[in-house]
């Protein structure tokens, strides 16, 4: 940690004490407060990718399970590797309807300009 940040952190800790939080990686964390209890309460957890609280949503979990059972899992899903799947066509159709034009999805930005 750079010296300037260490000094700023030390000054904040001296002014406000140590704030203790808990509650896992959900949308909300709870604070037991700091030395004078001024930070006690619930806070939106913006330090997590789950700040909307969707990770434990039953509908989201069910959709994830169904998708994994149908398509399996992998690090990517480009047509050049897996071939065209129904999900590619469905996404193109949905994007085309949304934007009012035809849509083609590409695995990377390099392939797009060469074929348009």
């Amino acid at each position: 940690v750079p010296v300037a940040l260490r000094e700023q952190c030390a000054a904040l800790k001296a002014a406000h004490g140590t704030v203790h939080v808990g509650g896992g990686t959900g949308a909300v964390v709870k604070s037991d407060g700091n030395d004078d209890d001024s930070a006690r309460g619930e806070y939106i957890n913006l330090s997590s990718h789950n700040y909307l609280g969707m990770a434990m949503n039953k509908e989201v979990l069910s959709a994830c399970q169904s998708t994994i059972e149908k398509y399996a899992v992998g690090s990517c899903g480009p047509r050049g590797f897996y071939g065209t799947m129904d999900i590619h066509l469905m996404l193109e159709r949905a994007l085309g309807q949304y934007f009012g034009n035809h849509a083609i999805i590409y695995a990377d930005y390099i392939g797009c300009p060469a074929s348009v």
Side-chain angles (χ1 to χ4, degrees):
V1 178
V3 173
L5 288 178
R6 273 187 263 156
E7 292 170 0
Q8 289 175 354
C9 290
L12 286 170
K13 185 176 179 182
H16 303 287
T18 301
V19 177
H20 303 278
V21 296
T25 59
V28 175
V29 292
K30 295 180 182 180
S31 171
D32 294 337
N34 54 10
D35 297 335
D36 65 2
D37 284 339
S38 63
R40 183 180 299 273
E42 290 187 347
Y43 298 90
I44 296 173
N45 185 8
L46 296 177
S47 66
S48 164
H49 290 289
N50 188 29
Y51 57 87
L52 295 177
M54 300 296 286
M56 299 310 293
N57 179 289
K58 291 185 190 302
E59 285 183 56
V60 172
L61 291 173
S62 177
C64 288
Q65 182 68 35
S66 299
T67 302
I68 291 169
E69 288 171 359
K70 184 172 182 177
Y71 298 104
V73 294
S75 60
C76 59
R79 290 176 170 170
F81 188 77
Y82 291 104
T84 298
M85 302 172 103
D86 63 341
I87 197 76
H88 294 115
L89 301 174
M90 290 167 39
L91 177 58
E92 287 178 343
R93 191 170 24 259
L95 289 171
Q97 288 173 351
Y98 180 80
F99 289 108
N101 207 332
H102 298 286
I104 300 172
I105 55 172
Y106 288 92
D108 59 52
Y109 68 95
I110 293 173
C112 184
S115 61
V116 174

